C-alpha cells in the first residue's frame, strides 16, 4: 500500500513540476510575443476574449515563436504550452474584468 501512495505522490510531484515549467515557459512566450509580434499578440488576446478560433497566421506566429524559444519540443509539449498560455491569458482577462467592477 505504501508503494502505491509513494507512486501517486511522485506522479503528483511530477505533474506539479511540469505545470510550473509550463507556467514559466508560457510567461516567457507571452513576453516574447508582446515584444516581437505585438499585432499577433493583440489578435490572440481578442480571440481569447471572443472565445473564437485562433487565426492561422496568428497561430503560425505563436507556433514558430515556441519553436524558436524552445527548440526540440515535440507536438504534445507545444500543445501543452499553448494551452497553458491560453489559461494564463483567460485568468488575466478575468482578473482585469474583476478589477474594473
Amino acid at each position: 500500500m505504501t508503494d502505491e501512495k509513494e507512486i501517486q505522490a511522485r506522479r503528483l510531484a511530477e505533474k506539479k513540476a511540469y505545470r510550473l515549467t509550463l507556467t514559466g515557459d508560457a510567461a516567457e512566450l507571452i513576453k516574447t510575443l508582446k515584444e516581437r509580434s505585438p499585432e499577433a499578440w493583440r489578435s490572440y488576446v481578442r480571440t481569447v476574449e471572443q472565445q473564437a478560433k485562433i487565426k492561422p497566421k496568428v497561430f503560425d506566429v505563436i507556433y514558430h515563436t515556441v519553436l524558436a524559444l524552445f527548440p526540440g519540443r515535440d507536438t504534445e509539449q507545444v500543445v501543452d504550452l499553448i494551452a497553458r498560455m491560453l489559461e494564463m491569458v483567460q485568468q488575466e482577462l478575468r482578473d482585469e474584468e474583476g478589477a474594473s467592477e
Side-chain angles (χ1 to χ4, degrees):
M1 202 55 113
T2 303
D3 289 337
E4 189 173 315
K5 286 184 179 182
E6 287 176 12
I7 290 169
Q8 288 178 342
R10 192 175 325 121
R11 284 185 185 149
L12 182 60
E14 288 170 359
K15 284 181 183 178
K16 285 182 180 179
Y18 184 60
R19 184 80 168 175
L20 285 173
T21 299
L22 279 180
T23 299
D25 290 351
E28 185 176 347
L29 173 60
I30 289 168
K31 180 179 177 229
T32 303
L33 286 168
K34 287 178 180 178
E35 292 172 359
R36 291 187 193 171
S37 307
E39 183 52 45
W41 176 249
R42 284 189 292 274
S43 176
Y44 176 76
V45 172
R46 282 191 303 271
T47 300
V48 174
E49 288 174 326
Q50 298 165 0
Q51 298 180 354
K53 289 186 179 181
I54 301 172
K55 294 177 183 171
K57 284 184 181 180
V58 174
F59 180 81
D60 284 346
V61 169
I62 294 170
Y63 184 72
H64 289 294
T65 304
V66 170
L67 295 179
L69 286 174
F70 311 108
R73 296 282 172 103
D74 62 30
T75 302
E76 184 179 338
Q77 292 169 330
V78 170
V79 169
D80 287 349
L81 181 54
I82 293 173
R84 181 64 185 127
M85 183 179 76
L86 173 66
E87 291 171 13
M88 290 169 68
V89 172
Q90 287 172 331
Q91 184 61 51
E92 187 177 304
L93 291 170
R94 284 192 296 269
D95 292 347
E96 288 175 5
E97 191 176 290
S100 67
E101 291 177 359

